[in-house]
Amino acid sequence: MKIIFLGTGAGIPSKERNVTSIALHMAQELNSTWLFDCGEGTQHQILCTSIKPGKINKVFITHLHGDHIFGLPGFLSSRSFQGGKDELQLFGPPGIKQYIETSLQLSESHLTYPLTIVEIEEGKIYEDANVTVFAKKLEHGIPSYGFRIEEKDKLGELQVDKLMEIGIPPGPIYQKIKNNDVTIAPDGQELHRHQFLGPNKPGRVITILGDTRFNKAFQSFIRNSDLLVHEATFSEEQVLLAKNYYHSTTAQAAQTAKDAGVKKLILTHISSRFQKEDYPRLLDEAKAIFPNTEIASDFLMLDIPLIKGVDEID
C-alpha cells in the first residue's frame, strides 16, 4: 500500500505545487488505485507517475471548491481512452452529481464505462472484504469531509511448529488450513484454523482530511491512524488568517496529530505564499509539537507499513 501526492498546493497551482490530489495505491490488497480529490491538472500529474488511469476505480471528493474538483471532468473523460472499462465509483458532498453530469453533458463527453456517483453524509460510506471507509464533516466555508480508511485485520501467521507436532508435514495442505475454517487432513484429523494461527495482524488506518479549521472534536475520527494527511495552509503565527479562511496552521495540524495518537503526519495544501526557503521553517513549527511530521511535495510517494517497522513491498 502506497500513498502518492499528485498535488500539494492550496487555492491555485504554482510552479512548484499543483492543486490537491492524492492517490492511494493498493496493488496487492485490491489491485486498484483510489483518488482523493482531483484538482485542475491532475490527469497531467498522473502521466508523470506509474499510475494507470484504468486502475483508478474510486474517487473521493472532500469538498466542491475548484482546487479540489476542476480536474474531474477531464480525468473522467480521458479515462475512457486510457483503458478504463470497469465501473468507477465517485463519492462526494451533495452537489457533486449535478457538477459531473452537467460538465459531461455540456461537453458532450461520453464515457465508455459505468459511473456511479454517491453523495455522502457522515458515517460509513463504503465497505468491502478488505476495507471500510468512513466520512466526517469538517469545519470549512462549504461542506467539507475527511475520510478514514480502515483496513480489516489480516490473518496471523500459520504456526508450523504446532502442525508438525501433530504429524502434518509441510505441503499444499498448509495453504488449505489457512484458507478454510476446517480442513480434513489425509489421516482424517479435523484441523480447525484458529488453533494453528498466531494473532491477527492489525489493519492499517489512513485518514485524509479535506480543508478544515482546527477543531478538537475531530480527534476521535482521527485517533490512532497510522497516517494522517492534514492541510497546513498557514504558518504557526497566522492563526487569525487560518480561522477567518476556514483553514489550519502547521502547529494546529501537529497538535491534532499529537492529541489523536497518530503514528505519522503529512502536511499538504501548502499556500503558494510560501517558497522553498520557507519549507524548513514550516516543518520545524510542526515537528516541535509532533516530531514524526513530513511536508508533502508533488510526487512524494510513501509506503504505509503493514507491521510497525516493516514496510510492505508492492
Side-chain angles (χ1 to χ4, degrees):
M1 184 183 286
K2 292 182 174 71
I3 191 164
I4 306 166
F5 290 85
L6 299 170
T8 58
I12 58 175
S14 68
K15 291 181 179 180
E16 295 178 358
R17 296 178 181 272
N18 200 54
V19 285
T20 299
S21 186
I22 300 168
L24 185 62
H25 182 56
M26 297 175 284
Q28 290 186 344
E29 297 82 6
L30 299 173
N31 191 30
S32 67
T33 300
W34 293 2
L35 201 62
F36 292 82
D37 286 335
C38 190
E40 180 183 359
T42 292
Q43 63 173 318
H44 296 276
Q45 299 289 93
I46 290 173
L47 292 175
C48 298
T49 72
S50 61
I51 295 171
K52 295 179 173 58
K55 290 291 187 180
I56 298 174
N57 60 13
K58 287 180 180 52
V59 178
F60 298 84
I61 299 298
T62 61
H63 64 293
L64 301 185
H65 277 154
D67 57 320
H68 296 255
I69 65 168
F70 282 169
L72 259 178
F75 165 73
L76 294 175
S77 180
S78 295
R79 186 176 182 265
S80 291
F81 303 101
Q82 296 170 319
K85 300 296 182 184
D86 297 333
E87 178 188 18
L88 187 145
Q89 293 179 302
L90 195 157
F91 302 82
I96 190 66
K97 184 177 177 68
Q98 180 183 2
Y99 170 69
I100 293 302
E101 290 182 346
T102 300
S103 299
L104 296 178
Q105 179 184 1
L106 293 180
S107 63
E108 295 193 11
S109 299
H110 305 287
L111 306 184
T112 59
Y113 55 87
L115 174 64
T116 300
I117 302 173
V118 179
E119 296 194 331
I120 63 174
E121 297 178 347
E122 281 194 324
K124 183 167 67 176
I125 61 171
Y126 176 77
E127 184 174 17
D128 61 27
N130 296 283
V131 295
T132 307
V133 182
F134 299 90
K136 176 72 175 177
K137 195 171 185 181
L138 306 175
E139 188 175 346
H140 198 44
I142 63 173
S144 180
Y145 287 84
F147 299 105
R148 180 182 174 97
I149 303 98
E150 294 186 358
E151 184 182 37
K152 296 181 180 178
D153 291 352
K154 297 179 181 295
L155 291 175
E157 295 294 334
L158 196 65
Q159 297 181 315
V160 174
D161 54 336
K162 288 187 177 181
L163 289 167
M164 296 286 283
E165 285 175 6
I166 63 171
I168 307 296
I173 193 171
Y174 278 18
Q175 193 61 45
K176 290 181 181 179
I177 294 168
K178 191 161 186 176
N179 290 344
N180 298 280
D181 290 331
V182 180
T183 300
I184 306 300
D187 62 3
Q189 291 185 79
E190 274 193 5
L191 305 175
H192 295 264
R193 177 170 58 186
H194 71 273
Q195 296 176 326
F196 302 101
L197 292 182
N200 281 352
K201 299 175 184 177
R204 290 158 286 192
V205 178
I206 302 98
T207 303
I208 299 172
L209 300 187
D211 294 1
T212 185
R213 276 177 175 166
F214 174 70
N215 191 326
K216 291 185 177 180
F218 304 147
Q219 287 179 12
S220 60
F221 183 74
I222 297 165
R223 192 164 305 283
N224 297 328
S225 296
D226 293 281
L227 177 67
L228 170 63
V229 179
H230 198 300
E231 69 129 292
T233 310
F234 294 100
S235 63
E236 184 177 31
E237 70 272 10
Q238 296 172 314
V239 176
L240 186 57
L241 272 176
K243 182 178 180 182
N244 290 342
Y245 288 96
Y246 293 89
H247 284 291
S248 298
T249 69
T250 52
Q252 288 172 337
Q255 192 65 53
T256 298
K258 180 180 179 180
D259 293 344
V262 308
K263 292 185 176 67
K264 185 176 181 67
L265 169 66
I266 304 291
L267 302 178
T268 188
H269 204 266
I270 309 300
S271 172
S272 59
R273 75 186 67 205
F274 300 115
Q275 305 303 313
K276 280 185 178 180
E277 56 268 26
D278 298 311
Y279 299 161
R281 172 174 60 87
L282 297 177
L283 182 59
D284 287 345
E285 291 174 358
K287 293 184 77 168
I289 299 168
F290 187 79
N292 195 13
T293 300
E294 189 169 345
I295 292 182
S297 57
D298 286 14
F299 307 116
L300 172 68
M301 181 170 64
L302 296 171
D303 286 315
I304 303 173
L306 179 61
I307 302 172
K308 186 176 181 180
V310 180
D311 284 348
E312 179 186 10
I313 301 174
D314 284 343

